[in-house]
Amino acid sequence: MDTESSKQRTGIRTCHDTFVLTSCCLATVLHTGFLHSIGVLFTDVMTTFNSTHAETAVIQSTAIGMSLCSSIFTGALINKIGLMVTGMLGNLVVSLSLMVCFFASSLTYLIIAIGVFSGFGFSCVYITSASAVSQHFSGRKRLLYLSVQTSGAGIGGMIYPFVIRYLSDLYGFRGSLLITGALVMNTVPGSILWKQHCNTSKSEEHTVVTNKIGSKTLPIAIGMFRTLGGICEMVAGPISGYIRDVTGSYTAIFYTSAGINLFAAVLFLVAHVTRRRERQELKKRTSVFYLTSF
C-alpha cells in the first residue's frame, strides 16, 4: 500500500515538474524572444513619429537595459514575496505594458511603456523561470533543463520577427503590440506553478553559480550578474543609432563593435597571463628548492 502511494506521489510530482518546465520554456520564448525582436517595428515607428535611428533605438536599449539593471531588485523581490507572485507580476506587467501601446501618441510613450515597464517585467519573468527550473530539478537534469529553458530565447528570436512583421502589415505596429500583449498574457496561468521549492541538497549542486551560493540565493546572484550587463546595454543602442545617423551606414557600427571586442579580448588575455605568472611565482617561492637555496 505504501509502495503504491509512493509511486502515485512520484507520478504526480513528475507531472508537476514537467508542467513547470513547459511553462518556463514558454515564458522564455514569448518574453525574451520579443525583447530581442522589437527592432522589426522600428521602421514603422520612425515613419509614424518622424524619429531618427538613435531616438528609436532608445526603445529597445531601454527595455534590455531595464530588464538587466532591475534584475538585482527582482532577486530581492523573489526572496520577499516568492517565485509565483513575482512571476505572475512580471507576466502581467509585460502584457499590460504592450497592450497599452495601442494608444501610443509619441516616441516617449513607447520608451516608457516598452522600455521601462516591460523591461522590468522581462526581468521578473526571466529570473523567476530560471530559478523555478533550478529549484524543481537536481543533478544532471538541472543542467539539461536549464539549457532547454535558455534556448527558448533563441527560438522566440527566430519566430517573433516573422509574426510581428505579419501583424504589423495587417494592423499596424500598434495593433501588433496589442495582439502580442494578449499573447504574452497566456503565460500568467503557467506562473502559478512556480512555487518556492528546493529539490536539492548541497551535495547535489552541479551548476557553477548554484554550487557557490546555493539555490536559495540564486535569484540575487543572477540579478547582480544581469545588472552589470544592463549598464552597457542601456547606452549601446543610442550610440549605435547615433553612429548610423552620422555615417549613413552600418559599417562603422560593426567596426566599432569589433574593436571593442578585440580590446576586451586583449585585456582578458593580459589578465590571464599576469595571473598565471603570479601563481607560478608564488608556487616557486613556496617550493622546497627555493626556500633551501638561501
Side-chain angles (χ1 to χ4, degrees):
M1 190 68 178
D2 294 338
T3 305
E4 293 180 359
S5 178
S6 177
K7 290 182 178 179
Q8 186 177 5
R9 287 196 298 268
T10 303
I12 294 175
R13 179 60 181 277
T14 302
C15 183
H16 176 266
D17 291 344
T18 303
F19 279 116
V20 170
L21 177 62
T22 303
S23 63
C24 290
C25 292
L26 180 62
T28 305
V29 170
L30 294 179
H31 289 263
T32 311
F34 174 80
L35 182 62
H36 296 287
S37 304
I38 304 175
V40 178
L41 298 174
F42 280 5
T43 303
D44 296 334
V45 173
M46 287 189 293
T47 302
T48 303
F49 300 115
N50 194 25
S51 58
T52 63
H53 289 84
E55 293 171 344
T56 310
V58 175
I59 299 175
Q60 187 172 27
S61 63
T62 303
I64 297 177
M66 188 66 182
S67 68
L68 295 173
C69 290
S70 62
S71 297
I72 188 171
F73 303 104
T74 303
L77 187 64
I78 291 174
N79 288 336
K80 184 70 174 179
I81 64 178
L83 286 174
M84 182 181 68
V85 179
T86 306
M88 294 181 64
L89 175 65
N91 285 313
L92 284 173
V93 168
V94 173
S95 60
L96 293 177
S97 298
L98 295 179
M99 293 172 71
V100 299
C101 288
F102 182 77
F103 306 101
S105 57
S106 64
L107 185 64
T108 305
Y109 188 108
L110 294 177
I111 294 174
I112 295 175
I114 299 178
V116 179
F117 288 100
S118 292
F120 172 74
F122 289 136
S123 172
C124 292
V125 174
Y126 181 84
I127 296 182
T128 51
S129 60
S131 300
V133 173
S134 178
Q135 293 184 4
H136 280 79
F137 299 96
S138 61
R140 295 182 179 180
K141 286 186 177 180
R142 173 187 295 167
L143 293 173
L144 175 62
Y145 294 152
L146 279 174
S147 301
V148 172
Q149 184 256 340
T150 306
S151 65
I155 297 174
M158 291 187 294
I159 297 175
Y160 256 121
F162 300 99
V163 176
I164 294 176
R165 185 73 268 169
Y166 176 75
L167 294 176
S168 180
D169 292 339
L170 289 179
Y171 309 107
F173 81 90
R174 292 185 177 89
S176 65
L177 291 174
L178 177 65
I179 296 174
T180 303
L183 181 65
V184 168
M185 188 171 286
N186 288 282
T187 59
V188 176
S191 59
I192 299 176
L193 301 173
W194 303 348
K195 292 185 178 181
Q196 198 86 12
H197 173 73
C198 184
N199 194 37
T200 63
S201 61
K202 291 185 179 180
S203 60
E204 293 176 323
E205 308 292 354
H206 289 275
T207 57
V208 175
V209 177
T210 312
N211 186 46
K212 295 294 183 181
I213 62 173
S215 59
K216 291 184 178 180
T217 54
L218 179 63
I220 294 181
I222 297 177
M224 294 181 64
F225 177 76
R226 286 168 58 85
T227 298
L228 295 176
I231 297 175
C232 299
E233 291 285 354
M234 292 190 71
V235 299
I239 292 177
S240 299
Y242 175 77
I243 295 175
R244 169 62 177 80
D245 292 333
V246 172
T247 61
S249 71
Y250 293 97
T251 305
I253 299 176
F254 287 106
Y255 282 134
T256 303
S257 301
I260 293 174
N261 286 317
L262 182 61
F263 178 72
V266 172
L267 288 180
F268 180 81
L269 180 61
V270 171
H272 176 71
V273 173
T274 305
R275 184 69 178 274
R276 187 172 183 179
R277 288 182 177 177
E278 290 177 353
R279 289 180 178 178
Q280 291 177 349
E281 185 68 21
L282 180 61
K283 185 177 181 179
K284 179 181 178 181
R285 291 181 179 181
T286 55
S287 64
V288 176
F289 299 100
Y290 180 82
L291 294 176
T292 56
S293 62
F294 295 99

